Short mmCIF file of all heavy atoms in Angstrom, two decimals:
data_model
loop_
_atom_site.label_atom_id
_atom_site.label_comp_id
_atom_site.label_asym_id
_atom_site.label_seq_id
_atom_site.Cartn_x
_atom_site.Cartn_y
_atom_site.Cartn_z
N ALA A 1 85.73 68.63 134.36
CA ALA A 1 85.59 69.34 133.09
C ALA A 1 84.52 70.41 133.19
O ALA A 1 84.68 71.52 132.67
CB ALA A 1 85.25 68.36 131.97
N LEU A 2 83.42 70.09 133.86
CA LEU A 2 82.34 71.06 134.04
C LEU A 2 82.82 72.25 134.88
O LEU A 2 82.55 73.40 134.55
CB LEU A 2 81.12 70.40 134.70
CG LEU A 2 79.90 71.26 134.91
CD1 LEU A 2 79.37 71.77 133.57
CD2 LEU A 2 78.82 70.47 135.62
N ALA A 3 83.54 71.96 135.95
CA ALA A 3 84.05 73.03 136.81
C ALA A 3 85.04 73.91 136.04
O ALA A 3 85.00 75.13 136.13
CB ALA A 3 84.72 72.45 138.05
N ALA A 4 85.93 73.27 135.28
CA ALA A 4 86.90 74.04 134.49
C ALA A 4 86.19 74.91 133.46
O ALA A 4 86.56 76.06 133.24
CB ALA A 4 87.89 73.10 133.81
N SER A 5 85.16 74.36 132.83
CA SER A 5 84.40 75.12 131.84
C SER A 5 83.70 76.31 132.48
O SER A 5 83.67 77.40 131.92
CB SER A 5 83.37 74.22 131.16
OG SER A 5 82.54 74.96 130.32
N ALA A 6 83.12 76.10 133.66
CA ALA A 6 82.42 77.18 134.35
C ALA A 6 83.38 78.32 134.69
O ALA A 6 83.07 79.49 134.50
CB ALA A 6 81.75 76.66 135.62
N VAL A 7 84.56 77.97 135.18
CA VAL A 7 85.55 78.98 135.54
C VAL A 7 86.03 79.72 134.29
O VAL A 7 86.15 80.94 134.28
CB VAL A 7 86.75 78.34 136.29
CG1 VAL A 7 87.89 79.33 136.43
CG2 VAL A 7 86.30 77.86 137.66
N THR A 8 86.26 78.98 133.22
CA THR A 8 86.72 79.58 131.96
C THR A 8 85.68 80.52 131.38
O THR A 8 86.01 81.56 130.82
CB THR A 8 87.04 78.48 130.93
OG1 THR A 8 88.04 77.63 131.48
CG2 THR A 8 87.55 79.08 129.63
N ASN A 9 84.42 80.16 131.52
CA ASN A 9 83.35 80.94 130.90
C ASN A 9 82.82 82.07 131.77
O ASN A 9 81.90 82.77 131.35
CB ASN A 9 82.20 80.03 130.48
CG ASN A 9 82.62 79.12 129.35
OD1 ASN A 9 83.31 79.55 128.43
ND2 ASN A 9 82.23 77.86 129.42
N LEU A 10 83.37 82.23 132.95
CA LEU A 10 82.96 83.37 133.77
C LEU A 10 83.40 84.65 133.09
O LEU A 10 84.53 84.77 132.64
CB LEU A 10 83.63 83.32 135.16
CG LEU A 10 83.02 82.40 136.18
CD1 LEU A 10 83.84 82.45 137.47
CD2 LEU A 10 81.59 82.74 136.48
N THR A 11 82.50 85.55 132.99
CA THR A 11 82.84 86.83 132.36
C THR A 11 82.58 87.95 133.34
O THR A 11 81.70 87.86 134.18
CB THR A 11 81.99 87.06 131.10
OG1 THR A 11 80.61 87.03 131.46
CG2 THR A 11 82.27 86.02 130.04
N VAL A 12 83.37 88.99 133.20
CA VAL A 12 83.15 90.17 134.01
C VAL A 12 81.94 90.89 133.42
O VAL A 12 81.88 91.12 132.22
CB VAL A 12 84.39 91.09 134.00
CG1 VAL A 12 84.12 92.37 134.76
CG2 VAL A 12 85.57 90.36 134.57
N PRO A 13 80.95 91.20 134.23
CA PRO A 13 79.77 91.88 133.70
C PRO A 13 80.13 93.21 133.05
O PRO A 13 81.10 93.85 133.42
CB PRO A 13 78.90 92.12 134.94
CG PRO A 13 79.44 91.19 135.98
CD PRO A 13 80.88 90.97 135.65
N ALA A 14 79.34 93.57 132.08
CA ALA A 14 79.56 94.85 131.40
C ALA A 14 79.40 95.99 132.39
O ALA A 14 78.73 95.86 133.41
CB ALA A 14 78.55 94.99 130.26
N ASN A 15 80.00 97.10 132.05
CA ASN A 15 79.90 98.29 132.87
C ASN A 15 78.46 98.83 132.81
O ASN A 15 78.04 99.30 131.76
CB ASN A 15 80.89 99.34 132.36
CG ASN A 15 80.89 100.58 133.20
OD1 ASN A 15 80.49 100.56 134.36
ND2 ASN A 15 81.35 101.67 132.64
N PRO A 16 77.72 98.71 133.89
CA PRO A 16 76.33 99.17 133.84
C PRO A 16 76.25 100.70 133.86
O PRO A 16 76.72 101.33 134.79
CB PRO A 16 75.71 98.57 135.10
CG PRO A 16 76.85 98.39 136.04
CD PRO A 16 78.07 98.18 135.19
N ILE A 17 75.70 101.24 132.83
CA ILE A 17 75.51 102.69 132.75
C ILE A 17 74.03 102.95 132.53
O ILE A 17 73.45 102.48 131.57
CB ILE A 17 76.34 103.31 131.61
CG1 ILE A 17 77.82 103.15 131.93
CG2 ILE A 17 75.97 104.77 131.40
CD1 ILE A 17 78.75 103.67 130.87
N ARG A 18 73.45 103.65 133.44
CA ARG A 18 72.04 104.00 133.33
C ARG A 18 71.89 105.48 132.97
O ARG A 18 70.97 105.87 132.28
CB ARG A 18 71.32 103.72 134.63
CG ARG A 18 69.87 104.11 134.58
CD ARG A 18 69.14 103.72 135.81
NE ARG A 18 67.74 104.11 135.68
CZ ARG A 18 66.85 103.93 136.59
NH1 ARG A 18 67.18 103.34 137.72
NH2 ARG A 18 65.62 104.31 136.42
N TYR A 19 72.79 106.28 133.49
CA TYR A 19 72.68 107.73 133.34
C TYR A 19 73.68 108.23 132.31
O TYR A 19 74.81 107.77 132.26
CB TYR A 19 72.91 108.41 134.70
CG TYR A 19 71.92 107.96 135.74
CD1 TYR A 19 72.21 106.91 136.60
CD2 TYR A 19 70.68 108.56 135.85
CE1 TYR A 19 71.30 106.48 137.56
CE2 TYR A 19 69.75 108.13 136.80
CZ TYR A 19 70.07 107.10 137.64
OH TYR A 19 69.16 106.67 138.58
N ARG A 20 73.24 109.16 131.53
CA ARG A 20 74.07 109.79 130.50
C ARG A 20 74.04 111.30 130.71
O ARG A 20 73.19 111.81 131.44
CB ARG A 20 73.57 109.42 129.11
CG ARG A 20 73.48 107.92 128.92
CD ARG A 20 73.64 107.52 127.48
NE ARG A 20 73.56 106.08 127.31
CZ ARG A 20 74.53 105.20 127.54
NH1 ARG A 20 75.68 105.62 127.98
NH2 ARG A 20 74.37 103.91 127.34
N MET A 21 74.93 111.99 130.07
CA MET A 21 75.02 113.43 130.25
C MET A 21 73.68 114.11 129.96
O MET A 21 73.29 115.06 130.65
CB MET A 21 76.13 114.00 129.35
CG MET A 21 76.52 115.41 129.69
SD MET A 21 77.12 115.66 131.38
CE MET A 21 78.75 114.93 131.30
N GLU A 22 72.95 113.62 128.97
CA GLU A 22 71.66 114.24 128.63
C GLU A 22 70.61 114.06 129.72
O GLU A 22 69.58 114.73 129.72
CB GLU A 22 71.14 113.75 127.27
CG GLU A 22 70.99 112.26 127.14
CD GLU A 22 72.24 111.58 126.55
OE1 GLU A 22 73.32 112.19 126.48
OE2 GLU A 22 72.11 110.41 126.17
N ASN A 23 70.86 113.16 130.70
CA ASN A 23 69.94 112.99 131.82
C ASN A 23 70.17 114.01 132.93
O ASN A 23 69.37 114.12 133.85
CB ASN A 23 70.08 111.59 132.43
CG ASN A 23 69.82 110.48 131.46
OD1 ASN A 23 70.68 109.64 131.24
ND2 ASN A 23 68.66 110.47 130.85
N LEU A 24 71.29 114.74 132.83
CA LEU A 24 71.64 115.69 133.89
C LEU A 24 71.14 117.09 133.59
O LEU A 24 71.03 117.48 132.43
CB LEU A 24 73.16 115.73 134.07
CG LEU A 24 73.87 114.43 134.43
CD1 LEU A 24 75.36 114.69 134.61
CD2 LEU A 24 73.27 113.80 135.67
N ALA A 25 70.88 117.82 134.65
CA ALA A 25 70.55 119.24 134.53
C ALA A 25 71.85 120.01 134.73
O ALA A 25 72.23 120.34 135.86
CB ALA A 25 69.51 119.64 135.57
N VAL A 26 72.57 120.24 133.64
CA VAL A 26 73.86 120.94 133.71
C VAL A 26 73.61 122.44 133.64
O VAL A 26 72.87 122.91 132.79
CB VAL A 26 74.79 120.49 132.57
CG1 VAL A 26 76.12 121.22 132.63
CG2 VAL A 26 75.01 118.97 132.61
N VAL A 27 74.22 123.15 134.60
CA VAL A 27 74.05 124.60 134.69
C VAL A 27 75.41 125.27 134.58
O VAL A 27 76.45 124.62 134.60
CB VAL A 27 73.35 125.00 136.02
CG1 VAL A 27 71.93 124.43 136.08
CG2 VAL A 27 74.15 124.53 137.23
N SER A 28 75.40 126.59 134.48
CA SER A 28 76.65 127.34 134.36
C SER A 28 77.49 127.22 135.63
O SER A 28 76.99 126.82 136.69
CB SER A 28 76.36 128.81 134.06
OG SER A 28 75.76 129.41 135.18
N ASP A 29 78.73 127.58 135.53
CA ASP A 29 79.67 127.47 136.65
C ASP A 29 79.67 128.71 137.54
O ASP A 29 80.71 129.06 138.10
CB ASP A 29 81.09 127.22 136.12
CG ASP A 29 81.22 125.87 135.45
OD1 ASP A 29 80.63 124.91 135.94
OD2 ASP A 29 81.93 125.79 134.42
N SER A 30 78.55 129.33 137.70
CA SER A 30 78.49 130.54 138.54
C SER A 30 78.70 130.17 140.01
O SER A 30 78.51 129.02 140.42
CB SER A 30 77.13 131.23 138.38
OG SER A 30 76.12 130.45 138.99
N LYS A 31 79.09 131.14 140.77
CA LYS A 31 79.32 130.93 142.21
C LYS A 31 78.03 130.46 142.89
O LYS A 31 78.06 129.59 143.77
CB LYS A 31 79.83 132.22 142.85
CG LYS A 31 80.19 132.05 144.30
CD LYS A 31 80.87 133.28 144.87
CE LYS A 31 81.15 133.02 146.34
NZ LYS A 31 82.25 133.79 146.85
N GLU A 32 76.90 131.02 142.49
CA GLU A 32 75.60 130.65 143.08
C GLU A 32 75.28 129.18 142.80
O GLU A 32 74.85 128.45 143.69
CB GLU A 32 74.47 131.54 142.54
CG GLU A 32 74.59 133.00 142.90
CD GLU A 32 75.60 133.77 142.02
OE1 GLU A 32 75.88 133.34 140.88
OE2 GLU A 32 76.10 134.80 142.49
N ASN A 33 75.50 128.75 141.54
CA ASN A 33 75.22 127.36 141.18
C ASN A 33 76.15 126.40 141.91
O ASN A 33 75.75 125.31 142.33
CB ASN A 33 75.32 127.17 139.67
CG ASN A 33 74.16 127.76 138.93
OD1 ASN A 33 73.08 127.97 139.49
ND2 ASN A 33 74.36 128.06 137.66
N MET A 34 77.39 126.80 142.06
CA MET A 34 78.37 125.99 142.78
C MET A 34 77.97 125.84 144.25
O MET A 34 77.98 124.74 144.80
CB MET A 34 79.75 126.64 142.67
CG MET A 34 80.88 125.82 143.22
SD MET A 34 82.44 126.71 142.87
CE MET A 34 83.54 125.89 143.95
N THR A 35 77.56 126.94 144.87
CA THR A 35 77.13 126.91 146.27
C THR A 35 75.89 126.04 146.45
O THR A 35 75.83 125.22 147.37
CB THR A 35 76.85 128.35 146.78
OG1 THR A 35 78.05 129.11 146.63
CG2 THR A 35 76.40 128.35 148.22
#
């Protein structure tokens, strides 16, 4: 019963997100920036 409960209660961990768009230095799509 304990083993069955453990297997049943296993959950997939949440999607870990640390970085968001506001953490990025987004620049224009110029050729220089792309290079």
Side-chain angles (χ1 to χ4, degrees):
L2 182 61
S5 174
V7 169
T8 302
N9 292 319
L10 280 178
T11 58
V12 176
N15 183 21
I17 294 178
R18 178 175 181 181
Y19 301 93
R20 305 207 180 281
M21 194 59 74
E22 56 268 14
N23 301 122
L24 301 182
V26 180
V27 296
S28 68
D29 293 322
S30 71
K31 185 172 178 155
E32 296 79 23
N33 286 338
M34 187 176 164
T35 301

